[in-house]
Amino acid sequence: MDSAAELDDPALRGSPTWSRYLLVAGGALALLLLGAAAGMLIGLPGSSTPSVPAADSVDVGFAQDMSVHHEQAVRMATWERDHTADPQLRQLAFDIETGQSRQIGYLQGWLGLWGAASQATGGYMRWMPAGMPGMSGQDMSSGSAAGGTGVAQMPGMAAEQEISRLTNSTGAPMDVLFLQLMLRHHTGGGGMLGYAAAHAQEPEVRNMASQMLTAQTSESRYIRQLLAARGATPLPPN
């Protein structure tokens, strides 16, 4: 979520904000256990042995990549929640932080149950075919969901310089930048969510991807309204 440097800031030690980070860290572990417990429900009908998606499957790739995608959203939302003076944005940030932290718990729980790595090695989105959103111009094997090198950065992800701008901003400029970055983040992840909802092997994975897409589409509409009310416009896709 937040970088080690941010969490080791002496100014944060002993403060209510620092205490909240400790609580969030403990809560994340509980969420991972919850995800693992939920993951144990995945199995073939009438069988006590869970089905295990292959390492190069849509299910595993989606769980790995969406965990990383969500982690950045949680990082931005946590910062906004703790620093905004706007009650609307504080509530939005809290909703995103808690919702996506819970989803990371499920995703990582499934990966643990399947014996898969928590993150992919190499490029992202190797589980999606060439030509999908965010893959233009990238080195992907033709028509293959698993044989390409993937992409270096997933669609919607903020650059570290943009995260620095957010954490160095205050007041209305910070709020607007948070909304812009989060809207682009939600929109960028839509292609992965839609593909997993349609092509994942496990019904629970397809269902979660579909629920994520519905929730983020709704939040995106709301964010657009909040931006318009502040006289701001969305960032171009990346």
Side-chain angles (χ1 to χ4, degrees):
M1 313 300 178
D2 290 283
S3 67
E6 290 170 329
L7 293 180
D8 198 40
D9 185 345
L12 293 177
R13 296 195 190 102
S15 70
T17 301
W18 176 246
S19 299
R20 279 200 298 273
Y21 282 125
L22 293 177
L23 290 174
V24 168
L29 176 59
L31 289 168
L32 290 176
L33 295 175
L34 174 63
M40 293 184 71
L41 299 177
I42 300 179
L44 298 175
S47 172
S48 60
T49 302
S51 58
V52 178
D56 61 354
S57 65
V58 170
D59 303 68
V60 169
F62 168 71
Q64 291 171 332
D65 289 354
M66 192 52 62
S67 291
V68 175
H69 207 271
H70 270 18
E71 283 168 3
Q72 188 182 77
V74 170
R75 179 183 176 190
M76 293 190 294
T78 300
W79 180 268
E80 178 70 12
R81 182 206 65 192
D82 284 342
H83 294 85
T84 186
D86 188 317
Q88 281 185 303
L89 270 67
R90 185 180 298 114
Q91 184 63 55
L92 173 65
F94 174 80
D95 291 344
I96 293 171
E97 177 195 20
T98 54
Q100 296 207 9
S101 292
R102 176 178 56 83
Q103 291 164 359
I104 291 170
Y106 277 97
L107 296 169
Q108 289 295 308
W110 287 336
L111 289 169
L113 182 70
W114 299 332
S118 62
Q119 291 189 21
T121 56
Y124 299 112
M125 300 170 71
R126 296 176 64 184
W127 49 280
M128 293 177 67
M132 294 298 293
M135 294 185 174
S136 176
Q138 298 291 337
D139 180 16
M140 298 290 291
S141 294
S142 178
S144 172
T149 60
V151 298
Q153 177 172 296
M154 290 176 280
M157 293 288 282
E160 280 303 312
Q161 295 92 326
E162 293 174 316
I163 299 292
S164 294
R165 281 179 52 208
L166 177 67
T167 58
N168 286 306
S169 300
T170 59
M174 179 191 70
D175 291 340
V176 167
L177 182 57
F178 166 72
L179 292 170
Q180 290 173 325
L181 292 175
M182 191 59 70
L183 176 59
R184 190 181 66 185
H185 200 272
H186 275 7
T187 303
M192 291 191 290
L193 293 173
Y195 190 81
H199 298 285
Q201 168 185 321
E202 300 296 340
E204 287 80 2
V205 178
R206 294 197 302 271
N207 183 57
M208 174 169 280
S210 178
Q211 290 179 355
M212 288 179 181
L213 183 57
T214 298
Q216 291 189 190
T217 300
S218 177
E219 284 177 348
S220 293
R221 285 196 296 266
Y222 181 49
I223 292 173
R224 289 180 185 276
Q225 293 171 4
L226 293 173
L227 280 172
R230 289 161 176 76
T233 57
L235 296 173
N238 63 347

